[in-house]
Amino acid sequence: MARRRQLYEGKAKVLFEGPEPGTLVQYFKDDATAGNGAKSGIITGKGVLNNRISEYLMLKLHDINIPTHFIRRLNMREQLIREVEIIPLEVVVRNVAAGSLSKRLGIPEGTRLPRTIIEYYYKNDALNDPMVSEEHIAAFNWAAPQDMDDINQLALRTNDFLMGMFTAVGITLVDFKLEFGRIWEGEEMRILLADEISPDNCRLWDSKTNEKMDKDRFRRDMGRVEEAYQEVAKRLGILPESGNGDLKGPEAVQ
Ligand code: UDP
């Protein structure tokens, strides 16, 4: 079979042309980077796990009427998604202080935040994804204020749902990063949740021990990275206790 045309290669994923107009194939690589590419490596099996974890979480979000780009998983490393126009923002939702928030504001990692905080970063590798405010977003027309209302609401609903889901399996959802995209249906524009939700872009800590179960293990050279991703999948009930070999078949949204 002829290989599909590659449209984009990012740090952790590749996008190919989809089988029908308006669709893309999202391929999950094992490559990992941190610090905007300053550190790079391979986490064996990461792509397979993230494909499966992201599928599972996007389907659960779809069930509570959060619109996502996910259509269905195609195989171990690929999923079919809707083609969207990506809004050039990384939307970070935080429940517990960690990472750049702790560093910038001197709040010790692990401090529960008095309320959920949403931050925005302008997606631009050359500028190191600088933090921006809704004022910048409106002024430079990256998203309209009405779009930001939708994005904020979707981000908070996603947080509430994921927090509950992870709490139920003994995991604290410390923070995570979302990306959103636009699709047009005739005259109507809709905002969808895009990209992926996985231990690559969430901070997940064991609720009892606070042990890290996410990409910080790679960023901070803590070892046992793949095992941590596997444990997240096991706790969500995606991976059988025995390991990686017996993944459930794909489920379709539509
Ligand atoms: N994050 C991400 N991609 C980025 C930056 C951050 O997925 O380019 C995620 C990260 O995994 C964490 C959350 O966003 O779950 C908040 O990250 P933070 O701002 O603390 O960034 P750090 O400098 O620690 O990566």
Side-chain angles (χ1 to χ4, degrees):
M1 195 180 81
R3 193 64 208 159
R4 286 172 288 239
R5 192 155 68 92
Q6 182 175 319
L7 302 177
Y8 171 81
E9 176 153 16
K11 293 172 199 135
K13 297 188 290 289
V14 186
L15 292 177
F16 295 98
E17 207 168 55
E20 292 140 40
T23 66
L24 299 176
V25 173
Q26 179 165 251
Y27 176 97
F28 288 75
K29 301 192 283 186
D30 285 347
D31 301 60
T33 64
N36 193 16
K39 177 181 166 77
S40 70
I42 299 278
I43 304 171
T44 310
K46 170 173 86 82
V48 174
L49 288 163
N50 282 357
N51 184 24
R52 195 61 187 83
I53 292 170
S54 196
E55 171 198 26
Y56 180 80
L57 298 177
M58 292 273 184
L59 285 172
K60 291 285 179 198
L61 290 169
H62 171 83
D63 287 347
I64 59 156
N65 287 322
I66 292 184
T68 82
H69 72 164
F70 181 83
I71 301 173
R72 66 174 179 275
R73 183 160 63 85
L74 297 171
N75 55 49
M76 295 288 270
R77 285 187 184 270
E78 293 179 327
Q79 49 183 242
L80 187 67
I81 57 171
R82 299 187 67 162
E83 182 173 24
V84 301
E85 177 192 294
I86 283 286
I87 295 169
L89 297 175
E90 301 202 335
V91 178
V92 169
V93 182
R94 302 181 182 272
N95 300 304
V96 175
S100 69
L101 178 125
S102 292
K103 225 181 257 163
R104 283 190 320 110
L105 304 181
I107 297 170
E109 282 216 323
T111 310
R112 180 150 288 278
L113 298 170
R115 46 172 281 179
T116 299
I117 294 175
I118 305 187
E119 296 170 350
Y120 315 102
Y121 295 84
Y122 177 45
K123 261 171 79 74
N124 184 317
D125 281 346
L127 297 175
N128 250 325
D129 297 344
M131 190 189 230
V132 293
S133 72
E134 289 194 66
E135 291 287 302
H136 299 104
I137 296 167
F140 300 118
N141 211 17
W142 296 321
Q146 309 89 280
D147 299 346
M148 292 311 290
D149 289 346
D150 289 353
I151 286 174
N152 289 333
Q153 215 195 70
L154 290 171
L156 289 177
R157 283 177 59 208
T158 298
N159 183 48
D160 284 348
F161 182 77
L162 292 183
M163 241 196 341
M165 190 156 138
F166 280 117
T167 301
V169 298
I171 294 175
T172 304
L173 179 61
V174 170
D175 58 32
F176 58 99
K177 185 260 294 182
L178 297 175
E179 294 188 25
F180 294 89
R182 301 185 179 93
I183 54 161
W184 277 269
E185 284 158 350
E187 296 287 283
E188 293 263 296
M189 188 274 283
R190 280 206 303 144
I191 289 185
L192 306 183
L193 184 57
D195 194 47
E196 69 175 302
I197 309 177
S198 73
D200 265 13
N201 50 28
C202 298
R203 283 198 170 92
L204 304 168
W205 295 356
D206 181 274
S207 308
K208 283 212 190 87
T209 64
N210 277 346
E211 195 183 352
K212 297 185 199 309
M213 305 170 71
D214 55 58
K215 205 169 108 179
D216 271 350
R217 300 197 71 86
F218 170 79
R219 294 189 188 102
R220 302 178 189 189
D221 294 319
M222 299 170 77
R224 299 185 61 79
V225 189
E226 194 204 342
E227 288 83 349
Y229 282 50
Q230 260 178 23
E231 179 63 21
V232 171
K234 274 185 199 161
R235 294 223 194 153
L236 290 173
I238 298 166
L239 268 190
E241 292 301 316
S242 55
N244 212 340
D246 187 26
L247 290 168
K248 278 188 244 157
E251 284 177 66
V253 166
Q254 48 187 329

